[in-house]
Amino acid sequence: QTTASKPRMTRGRPHQTSFAFALLCTASVLLLAALWRTAKLPKTAMLRNSPSKLKHVAGARLSRGVSTALFLPNRPGTRRSVIRGIAGTMSTMAAGAAFASSAGTTSDQIDLKQNPRSFFLQEPIKENIKRTDPLSKDRADLIGHIEYPEKSPFISGDFKRYDEADDSDFYSQPRFVTHIDDKAIEALRQYYSTQLPKGDSKAAILDICSSWISHYPEDFKPEKSVGLGMNGAELKENKQLTSYVVQNLNIEPKLPFADNSFDYVTNVVSVDYLARPIETFKEINRVLKPGGRLINSFSNRCFPTKAIELWLNTPDWTHLLIVASYFKIAGFESPQAYDITLPDGRDPMYVVEAVKK
């Protein structure tokens, strides 16, 4: 019997066909299980990103409080798993294949002109990764070596969310809780104490995506402290605000303030929920005074149904690049990024900040 006349399932190498079929079945089962788990998530579930999305870089915290989530190991299999997570949001098979084929590249081989998306393949300089003491002015910038593409590295699919329903419904019930642990809050408050003036001052500050607490130091007494958030009951309880505005930035990113109104803008553990981040960052740039500073801080916690797709599919290191790119596109000076996690902290705490030109 010739090869051409053999039954299809026994032609060539049957063991390879069987293996491929088994692999396909396994992948299908895993996909269905993942979809089932996602469908069961309550809207108010606050989940950690690390156990589910960062398991490829999971491990004990390094010395000096540096999270292992910052590192993208050079092992091809690990790098490809990260890249596939980003490539999966691309619009064409060709783009995804091109992204995956670059798994073995190094930062100096990335062509930002040919493929702005390769911006996300840049890696930290491992020797330079250090925790920044939030009380110290000696800071370790984690992204000082990063190069930025001339064109945006983002695509529309990056900002899709599992739950695209009106955010006003999701945030209609007040939540008088903190979304990061006490050590992360302490780290942020310590960092603010080195950035914000002490005592009474003429400073004007805007806290976007604000809530019932802004984590500012107790001795920070600005003349104007405005909160902009989604829930009026929460904002009303915030004793660190002099006034507040209820506004959904994902529907209306234009800020209701005049140009050059604020010395500082802060955003705590909420940048991952911005579905129109470039417009929002440009508005922040507009309302900041020249030399004013935007301080973004975040951890690895999120409401997964409301976080953007790109955030959920990438590790902490890439989150620094995502936020830094928002700054650059919006016209800020070169951003800096710090890991201000306290040595005994459980939740990591990162800051990405820049000043208005």
Side-chain angles (χ1 to χ4, degrees):
Q1 189 178 27
T2 63
T3 301
S5 64
K6 289 181 180 179
R8 182 176 180 85
M9 290 300 294
T10 60
R11 192 180 302 160
R13 297 179 174 84
H15 63 283
Q16 290 186 355
T17 303
S18 300
F19 176 77
F21 179 76
L23 187 61
L24 178 61
C25 291
T26 302
S28 300
V29 170
L30 291 174
L31 177 60
L32 288 172
L35 290 173
W36 180 80
R37 285 195 302 270
T38 303
K40 286 175 67 75
L41 286 175
K43 283 189 175 182
T44 57
M46 178 68 80
L47 298 185
R48 287 184 181 281
N49 211 3
S50 48
S52 58
K53 296 294 180 182
L54 307 184
K55 59 187 177 183
H56 56 280
V57 284
R61 184 176 295 279
L62 301 182
S63 60
R64 302 192 67 189
V66 180
S67 170
T68 53
L70 281 168
F71 298 105
L72 297 184
N74 287 322
R75 296 188 300 276
T78 302
R79 286 180 51 77
R80 289 192 188 99
S81 70
V82 177
I83 292 164
R84 286 193 192 106
I86 306 173
T89 65
M90 292 189 166
S91 57
T92 66
M93 289 294 290
F99 222 77
S101 67
S102 65
T105 62
T106 57
S107 294
D108 59 355
Q109 295 173 311
I110 293 171
D111 191 340
L112 296 177
K113 290 185 178 181
Q114 288 276 5
N115 183 8
R117 194 93 170 137
S118 64
F119 167 76
F120 298 114
L121 294 180
Q122 297 182 85
E123 297 183 351
I125 298 175
K126 194 170 182 179
E127 293 76 15
N128 292 349
I129 295 291
K130 297 178 181 178
R131 186 186 68 85
T132 290
D133 182 345
L135 287 173
S136 173
K137 293 186 178 182
D138 182 18
R139 306 188 186 101
D141 183 5
L142 303 175
I143 59 172
H145 64 290
I146 292 298
E147 297 180 9
Y148 297 87
E150 295 179 2
K151 297 182 179 180
S152 171
F154 301 107
I155 60 171
S156 59
D158 290 340
F159 306 117
K160 298 293 184 183
R161 298 174 298 164
Y162 179 81
D163 180 6
E164 293 287 4
D166 190 342
D167 293 335
S168 298
D169 295 335
F170 183 85
Y171 294 104
S172 61
Q173 294 298 318
R175 298 179 178 90
F176 296 106
V177 297
T178 54
H179 300 307
I180 47 179
D181 67 18
D182 291 344
K183 287 295 181 181
I185 293 173
E186 181 183 348
L188 181 59
R189 189 171 285 124
Q190 288 181 7
Y191 186 78
Y192 280 155
S193 73
T194 68
Q195 301 296 303
L196 305 176
K198 291 177 171 46
D200 295 333
S201 71
K202 295 292 185 180
I205 191 167
L206 170 64
D207 188 27
I208 68 167
C209 305
S210 189
S211 182
W212 66 284
I213 188 170
S214 294
H215 306 305
Y216 298 145
E218 291 184 3
D219 60 356
F220 175 53
K221 306 291 184 183
E223 183 175 69
K224 181 167 72 171
S225 178
V226 182
L228 186 148
M230 290 289 295
N231 188 282
E234 292 179 3
L235 293 166
K236 186 178 180 180
E237 291 300 314
N238 192 330
K239 305 306 181 187
Q240 297 181 302
L241 303 178
T242 58
S243 63
Y244 65 85
V245 177
V246 177
Q247 181 172 324
N248 183 351
L249 293 174
N250 289 335
I251 292 178
E252 179 49 82
K254 184 172 180 59
L255 298 173
F257 310 109
D259 296 357
N260 308 320
S261 297
F262 296 96
D263 300 286
Y264 305 94
V265 176
T266 56
N267 181 13
V268 182
V269 296
S270 297
V271 67
D272 45 327
Y273 304 129
L274 295 177
R276 299 169 68 176
I278 305 303
E279 294 171 83
T280 300
F281 271 60
K282 286 181 177 180
E283 275 295 292
I284 293 171
N285 189 296
R286 178 184 66 80
V287 303
L288 272 172
K289 299 175 183 178
R293 183 179 300 273
L294 167 57
I295 304 174
N296 265 282
S297 56
F298 54 88
S299 185
N300 62 357
R301 289 179 177 265
C302 70
F303 293 113
T305 58
K306 285 298 185 181
I308 62 169
E309 180 74 15
L310 184 59
W311 195 275
L312 291 178
N313 284 329
T314 51
D316 287 16
W317 162 252
T318 312
H319 297 165
L320 302 182
L321 300 184
I322 291 170
V323 179
S325 192
Y326 294 165
F327 275 105
K328 290 294 288 186
I329 295 172
F332 284 83
E333 295 280 5
S334 294
Q336 296 87 41
Y338 314 114
D339 178 357
I340 63 168
T341 311
L342 295 179
D344 55 349
R346 183 166 176 262
D347 289 349
M349 200 65 204
Y350 306 108
V351 165
V352 184
E353 63 177 21
V355 300
K356 178 178 179 176
K357 295 180 180 179

